[in-house]
Amino acid sequence: MKKRKNLDGADVKWGKHTVIFLQFASWEHEGRVIKTMKSMLLFLILLGVVSGRRSQLLQGLPATSTVEENSAAGVAVYNFSVTLSPLASEGVAIINSNPLTEAFAIESKGGLEFRVITTGNPILDYETMPKRFDLQIFVEDTTGRTDLKILTIHVTDKNEHPVFRGNMAIETVMIYVREGTPPERIYQVVAADPENAKLKYSLLPATAPFLIRESGAIFSTKEFDYEKDPHSYFLNITVTDPDGLNSTRTVNINIVNINDERPYFITKQRIYRIPEEQSPGTSVANITAKDPDDGDSPSRLFYSIQSSDRRFAINPATGELQVAGRIDRDALPLRLHPNISMVVRVEDSPSSGRAREMEITIVIEDVNDNPPECNPSAFRKEANENTAPGTFLVDLRNYCKDIDADPSNNQFIFTGLSGFGSNNFALESTGRLVMTGTIALENTANPGVEVYTLTARVQDIAHPNYSNIIYIYIRIKPVNEFFPVFQNLSYVFSVSEITKVGSSIGRVHAIDKDWPPNVITYSIVAGAGTRDYTNIFWISPMKGDVRILARLDYETTQKHIFTVQASNQEKSTTASVTVNVLEVNDEEPVCSPNFFSLQIPVNLAVGTNINGFRIECQDRDSDPRSFRYFINEGNENSHFTFSPSAGSNTSRLILTSRFDYESGLDTNWVYSLRVHITDDNLVSARDKTTHLTKTGTVTLNIRVIPNPTTATTTTPGFTVVTRRENLYSPSAWYVPFVVTLGALLLLGLLGHLGLLLLTRIRSCCPPAGKARSTSLINAPEKKKPKKEVAVTMTKLNTIFDGEARDPVTGRVYEFNTRSGARRWKKSNEPLQPMLAVQVMSSATEHSGQGVDGAEAPSRENPSEKRKELTAATKPAAKPSAGQSETSGQAGLRVQKKKEESEDGGLSSPAP
């Protein structure tokens, strides 16, 4: 026997027939899946009951009972008992109800007595729930006997209290009414009776200025004034059904204050005085106002300044007027009008509220807050070094002022003149500055100061005696009293004639005794030129540095003399400058002729003066004995030399070795000789590093003339005329290469086709070939062998046995593979006679030339073809007009057609 818990927690004993109990969910939340599972469970239980031993164990069932709606949990609905064997209370259970519910349960009363009670979950409601429930009660004893009976329960109606709907059902309703609102409906009470009876509404206290209608609408009965009437009302709303059952809820009605009163100012003062230059944030006045709408609560007013003056600001919450920016009484417009007027506005809301305005005036008082100032603050004056004592220099008052507005605050004086050399000057209190002594800059007792820096003070007379420092710079202008003096009366410079243009060759210097020394400028006032150059020398205006502007030439001028001047703008003096030019070897040997062309025979004897050529050289700064002659370039294999090679101003060109062109030693027929003539023959090797060497140059072109030669050209048996119409550039190397390669391929192909053709002719038509030969020659006994004809044909180097296309023009040309002869292919050239085919076929057979000989006749002109045909077949003659065509001729014509069909155009005969 197994035990399980039933719905209310009691143990249930199970026998051999097992019954499964499930706790059902509330009928209000069951879904389709739960209903399906319960139906299956019920089917299993019923199946077990039927199949078991059914007995009458339940007493008092089936039965019908009633229960009142809204019954609490534990209310007894019906009592029944179980008979026979002892049975624990856990063995009785409600296994199903229709409709499904958990509102009922079985409770044991002791022994075999049981009762059905309410569970309170859910609470029975006559208006919203089913009014009848069929409970299936199941019992099983210890022997396995079972019983199942139905208890029907009817739910009875009960009169219930009315209920409020909406917000009043869960909380106290807050209603807001604006003051000044005329009487109107302010709220709608919604209530309902569970039995749908007509309800009656009432309102307490009855003295309140509100009423409620039969429909539940609450109305106000007066126009409220927030400042006079109460600010809130609490109303008790009662709803009653016909049996006297009622429900009550509270409604809180609040009167909303609106802005309907203008604020007013409490402050009466309208004029305020403050000194200028108050720091920002300084309080000027406290403007206060009051709003009747506020009552006893703190005022919520907003203050503002209506003018655009940024020098003042007002606290929008407290009304405190403060300084917001700098207030300068000494600046316009306050300097002329020191009063500031502004309008203060107070309103009871930031915008669109009720407001009131008040005008106030603020008087700005002047204080001594500005020191006297001078513009400029630094004065610069000049005085000559010989200025007399007592000379007036400057009146400082004309440049100084005090900007304070009140006259008592803008008066000032000058004091405290100080600085090095201030004893030479005096400053009066009114601001006049005068000289008291004489200053000489050249005086050794004087420190030589050119600028005196003095300081003075300009000061307020009124307290607190503000002051400023004035700087006075007195520049003592020097007077030009002395002439400049050169350190030397004359200057001598020695310079090499090869000195580079622009080089410095010396320097002149002059001094001035004035203090400070005057700026001295230098210039060339005379000389410094020649016949060819206007200015050979240049002098630096500031430094006196002498430079050369043109190349010096010892051979032309050995000495230059010119005059320089030193000037201090007002006074000037001069000095003489001599420049000695030092000789240097700077001239090249000049030879005549410096260019010449010569022609010599190839077999000219060694040691011969070539064409009697001789050069003559001159050097302006070197002895002729210093000349040396040597060929620097172009003397291949050293065929040429000069004699004498040194120590003379003349020399001859000599052939030193023979030309050898046959062995290939010499290949150049034109010689371009570059001859150098130097003037260092007398300079020792030790001195060459320090002495200059100049070289002259002569260019000679020598052409070697070969011996005259003759060449005889013969052509056996005939004359070949070649006409070339196309010229190839050496840069187009690929043209002959491509042509040669194509010709070789074509010759190979034609040879192969010729062999095939020859084999076919010999195998198929030997008699026809004999007849054709006899017919063409017309004299069989005198016909020459074919081998002789083939030999004659192969010797002709004018046969064009190949074709190619010119890559430049695109035209087709013919060429001879042996001699290289070429010609343009003519488009209107007729076909060769049939004899040429026969002859070339025989030639191929006997000489092995292939197709080369067969195609060559087909590409020649008709006249040339006739000539060759006559030369090859001298005994042959054409048939007479009346002679019929022989079988050989017919066979030749057939054989020709076969060859054309078999070749398929590979031999490319001319059209």
Side-chain angles (χ1 to χ4, degrees):
M1 184 73 69
K2 296 181 181 179
K3 292 185 179 181
R4 293 290 177 87
K5 295 291 184 177
N6 66 357
L7 296 177
D8 53 0
D11 292 335
V12 178
K13 298 177 182 179
W14 303 97
K16 63 181 180 179
H17 301 286
T18 302
V19 180
I20 300 175
F21 293 94
L22 296 177
Q23 184 174 0
F24 298 118
S26 173
W27 66 274
E28 296 176 341
H29 305 285
E30 285 299 323
R32 183 178 299 174
V33 177
I34 302 299
K35 290 180 180 180
T36 303
M37 294 176 63
K38 290 182 177 180
S39 299
M40 293 176 64
L41 177 62
L42 178 60
F43 172 77
L44 293 175
I45 294 173
L46 293 177
L47 181 62
V49 171
V50 173
S51 63
R53 290 175 292 176
R54 181 70 179 271
S55 302
Q56 296 292 333
L57 299 179
L58 294 172
Q59 301 297 324
L61 293 174
T64 301
S65 179
T66 60
V67 64
E68 191 179 55
E69 68 171 327
N70 299 328
S71 295
V75 175
V77 178
Y78 185 77
N79 297 323
F80 64 94
S81 62
V82 178
T83 62
L84 298 179
S85 63
L87 182 67
S89 61
E90 288 84 352
V92 180
I94 299 174
I95 62 174
N96 193 19
S97 66
N98 184 24
L100 293 174
T101 185
E102 295 180 2
F104 303 97
I106 295 177
E107 183 182 50
S108 176
K109 296 174 59 178
L112 298 177
E113 298 294 329
F114 298 92
R115 62 183 175 184
V116 178
I117 62 174
T118 58
T119 62
N121 184 25
I123 297 176
L124 299 174
D125 188 359
Y126 182 84
E127 287 76 23
T128 61
M129 294 177 62
K131 298 174 177 58
R132 171 180 170 172
F133 295 92
D134 293 328
L135 306 181
Q136 294 181 352
I137 301 175
F138 176 78
V139 64
E140 182 180 16
D141 63 6
T142 57
T143 62
R145 292 182 301 165
T146 61
D147 193 6
L148 179 65
K149 297 295 178 59
I150 296 176
L151 173 63
T152 301
I153 301 175
H154 294 277
V155 180
T156 61
D157 189 19
K158 178 184 178 181
N159 188 19
E160 300 174 85
H161 288 269
V163 294
F164 286 92
R165 303 294 187 189
N167 292 337
M168 291 189 68
I170 58 177
E171 62 183 358
T172 300
V173 175
M174 304 292 293
I175 302 174
Y176 296 91
V177 179
R178 294 180 59 185
E179 70 168 320
T181 303
E184 61 180 356
R185 185 173 71 88
I186 60 174
Y187 190 73
Q188 176 65 49
V189 178
V190 179
D193 185 68
E195 290 74 28
N196 293 324
K198 186 176 181 180
L199 300 178
K200 180 181 178 181
Y201 296 91
S202 61
L203 180 150
L204 290 176
T207 58
F210 303 97
L211 60 87
I212 189 168
R213 300 281 178 85
E214 294 181 357
S215 62
I218 301 176
F219 284 82
S220 62
T221 60
K222 62 174 291 186
E223 182 177 319
F224 296 95
D225 187 352
Y226 184 84
E227 288 76 26
K228 297 178 182 179
D229 296 328
H231 296 169
S232 64
Y233 298 87
F234 289 90
L235 304 180
N236 292 324
I237 307 299
T238 302
V239 56
T240 307
D241 66 1
D243 294 334
L245 294 178
N246 61 71
S247 297
T248 302
R249 290 288 186 272
T250 301
V251 174
N252 184 10
I253 300 177
N254 296 285
I255 306 303
V256 179
N257 186 20
I258 63 173
N259 187 13
D260 57 349
E261 300 289 340
R262 293 176 60 191
Y264 57 90
F265 287 99
I266 300 176
T267 302
K268 303 301 180 182
Q269 185 177 352
R270 299 291 185 268
I271 300 176
Y272 300 90
R273 293 181 177 271
I274 61 170
E276 65 171 330
E277 300 293 350
Q278 297 297 309
S279 60
T282 302
S283 179
V284 178
N286 288 321
I287 309 298
T288 57
K290 188 173 180 59
D291 188 358
D293 289 323
D294 295 336
D296 297 333
S297 62
S299 177
R300 297 182 180 178
L301 300 178
F302 299 89
Y303 299 89
S304 61
I305 298 176
Q306 298 305 298
S307 62
S308 59
D309 197 328
R310 298 182 180 180
R311 291 168 292 187
F312 296 94
I314 192 169
N315 190 315
T318 63
E320 182 182 12
L321 185 65
Q322 298 175 338
V323 175
R326 182 188 178 192
I327 304 175
D328 188 1
R329 169 71 171 79
D330 308 312
L332 294 175
L334 294 180
R335 188 177 185 86
L336 300 178
H337 304 286
N339 300 333
I340 301 175
S341 297
M342 64 185 66
V343 176
V344 178
R345 178 185 178 89
V346 60
E347 53 187 333
D348 51 14
S349 64
S351 61
S352 303
R354 298 181 179 273
R356 196 180 297 272
E357 295 179 350
M358 176 181 67
E359 183 178 7
I360 62 174
T361 301
I362 301 176
V363 180
I364 308 301
E365 297 178 346
D366 183 45
V367 297
N368 184 18
D369 60 337
N370 293 295
E373 295 181 353
C374 299
N375 188 15
S377 61
F379 296 88
R380 290 172 172 79
K381 295 297 178 181
E382 292 182 349
N384 292 334
E385 59 178 324
N386 54 5
T387 300
T391 303
F392 168 76
L393 296 179
V394 64
D395 189 352
L396 301 179
R397 180 172 290 273
N398 295 334
Y399 306 94
C400 302
K401 64 178 180 179
D402 191 332
I403 62 173
D404 285 317
D406 194 333
S408 61
N409 295 327
N410 58 23
Q411 302 298 318
F412 55 87
I413 58 174
F414 297 90
T415 60
L417 182 66
S418 62
F420 183 79
S422 59
N423 57 330
N424 294 318
F425 309 93
L427 178 63
E428 300 174 359
S429 61
T430 58
R432 285 175 53 86
L433 181 66
V434 297
M435 291 191 67
T436 59
T438 300
I439 299 175
L441 298 178
E442 293 80 18
N443 190 351
T444 56
N446 195 295
V449 178
E450 298 182 25
V451 179
Y452 290 88
T453 301
L454 309 177
T455 59
R457 182 178 299 275
V458 56
Q459 179 177 311
D460 269 338
I461 296 177
H463 184 78
N465 307 115
Y466 291 118
S467 62
N468 266 325
I469 299 298
I470 304 173
Y471 295 92
I472 306 171
Y473 302 96
I474 307 297
R475 180 178 179 273
I476 304 302
K477 294 175 60 177
V479 178
N480 190 358
E481 302 175 272
F482 300 95
F483 284 86
V485 177
F486 280 100
Q487 290 181 338
N488 301 323
L489 296 179
S490 63
Y491 295 86
V492 178
F493 305 123
S494 296
V495 58
S496 171
E497 65 173 327
I498 61 172
T499 302
K500 293 183 179 179
V501 174
S503 300
S504 175
I505 62 174
R507 185 177 183 182
V508 300
H509 183 66
I511 59 174
D512 191 341
K513 294 182 180 180
D514 287 309
W515 183 263
N518 293 313
V519 176
I520 297 177
T521 58
Y522 301 92
S523 61
I524 299 176
V525 295
T530 62
R531 180 183 61 184
D532 299 328
Y533 295 97
T534 304
N535 295 312
I536 297 180
F537 301 95
W538 173 84
I539 189 170
S540 173
M542 305 304 296
K543 297 181 179 180
D545 192 19
V546 179
R547 298 177 181 270
I548 59 175
L549 298 179
R551 183 176 179 273
L552 302 178
D553 189 4
Y554 175 84
E555 288 74 22
T556 302
T557 306
Q558 290 78 35
K559 181 181 294 186
H560 298 272
I561 301 175
F562 55 90
T563 303
V564 296
Q565 176 180 279
S567 174
N568 60 9
Q569 297 181 354
E570 295 180 3
K571 297 178 174 60
S572 61
T573 186
T574 60
S576 175
V577 176
T578 301
V579 178
N580 294 320
V581 182
L582 303 179
E583 184 182 14
V584 179
N585 181 21
D586 62 336
E587 298 288 342
E588 299 176 354
V590 178
C591 300
S592 177
N594 62 355
F595 178 83
F596 202 76
S597 295
L598 304 171
Q599 292 185 353
I600 61 176
V602 69
N603 54 0
L604 184 66
V606 175
T608 304
N609 179 199
I610 298 175
N611 290 358
F613 178 77
R614 184 181 68 173
I615 58 174
E616 295 183 0
C617 301
Q618 302 292 332
D619 194 333
R620 298 175 62 187
D621 56 7
S622 299
D623 190 275
R625 295 177 298 167
S626 65
F627 294 162
R628 286 192 307 113
Y629 304 86
F630 59 92
I631 302 174
N632 189 45
E633 296 177 9
N635 192 12
E636 297 181 7
N637 296 329
S638 302
H639 287 299
F640 309 98
T641 188
F642 277 90
S643 179
S645 61
S648 175
N649 65 333
T650 63
S651 183
R652 292 176 173 79
L653 181 63
I654 305 298
L655 181 66
T656 60
S657 62
R658 295 180 59 84
F659 299 101
D660 186 0
Y661 292 99
E662 295 179 358
S663 65
L665 178 63
D666 290 321
T667 58
N668 192 8
W669 293 87
V670 178
Y671 293 85
S672 180
L673 305 182
R674 182 173 293 275
V675 183
H676 284 182
I677 300 92
T678 62
D679 55 5
D680 62 348
N681 186 47
L682 301 180
V683 179
S684 65
R686 181 173 56 85
D687 296 335
K688 285 184 180 180
T689 57
T690 58
H691 288 73
L692 292 177
T693 300
K694 293 297 181 177
T695 302
T697 303
V698 174
T699 302
L700 301 179
N701 287 338
I702 302 175
R703 179 179 297 274
V704 180
I705 306 301
N707 293 325
T709 59
T710 58
T712 305
T713 334
T714 60
T715 303
F718 58 89
T719 301
V720 178
V721 179
T722 302
R723 182 179 64 183
R724 296 184 180 182
E725 298 183 10
N726 188 20
L727 298 178
Y728 294 92
S729 171
S731 61
W733 58 270
Y734 54 87
V735 174
F737 174 80
V738 173
V739 170
T740 303
L741 181 60
L744 293 176
L745 294 176
L746 183 59
L747 285 175
L749 179 61
L750 292 176
H752 178 68
L753 293 177
L755 289 176
L756 294 177
L757 179 62
L758 181 61
T759 303
R760 189 176 185 86
I761 292 174
R762 294 179 64 181
S763 62
C764 296
C765 306
K770 293 179 180 180
R772 182 171 62 248
S773 302
T774 304
S775 175
L776 288 172
I777 296 173
N778 205 14
E781 66 280 3
K782 296 182 181 181
K783 180 179 178 182
K784 292 184 180 181
K786 294 179 181 178
K787 182 176 181 180
E788 296 178 1
V789 176
V791 171
T792 304
M793 293 297 291
T794 55
K795 290 182 180 180
L796 295 177
N797 55 5
T798 56
I799 296 176
F800 298 92
D801 55 358
E803 290 183 1
R805 186 176 298 276
D806 181 25
V808 179
T809 62
R811 297 178 59 186
V812 178
Y813 63 89
E814 300 171 336
F815 61 89
N816 184 281
T817 56
R818 295 184 179 181
S819 65
R822 301 175 186 177
R823 72 173 183 178
W824 293 113
K825 182 178 180 180
K826 300 181 179 179
S827 59
N828 57 354
E829 189 173 87
L831 294 172
Q832 285 280 11
M834 301 305 296
L835 178 60
V837 176
Q838 178 63 24
V839 172
M840 292 313 299
S841 299
S842 301
T844 304
E845 180 180 357
H846 294 284
S847 61
Q849 294 301 321
V851 189
D852 295 346
E855 283 196 357
S858 65
R859 288 163 173 79
E860 296 178 358
N861 292 331
S863 59
E864 294 176 353
K865 292 177 183 178
R866 286 193 295 271
K867 291 179 181 179
E868 294 172 2
L869 190 59
T870 303
T873 59
K874 292 181 180 179
K878 292 184 180 180
S880 60
Q883 187 177 358
S884 61
E885 182 177 318
T886 65
S887 61
Q889 292 174 341
L892 180 61
R893 190 172 292 113
V894 172
Q895 182 65 25
K896 176 63 177 180
K897 293 181 179 179
K898 287 183 179 181
E899 292 172 0
E900 292 177 353
S901 63
E902 291 177 357
D903 292 344
L906 293 176
S907 58
S908 302

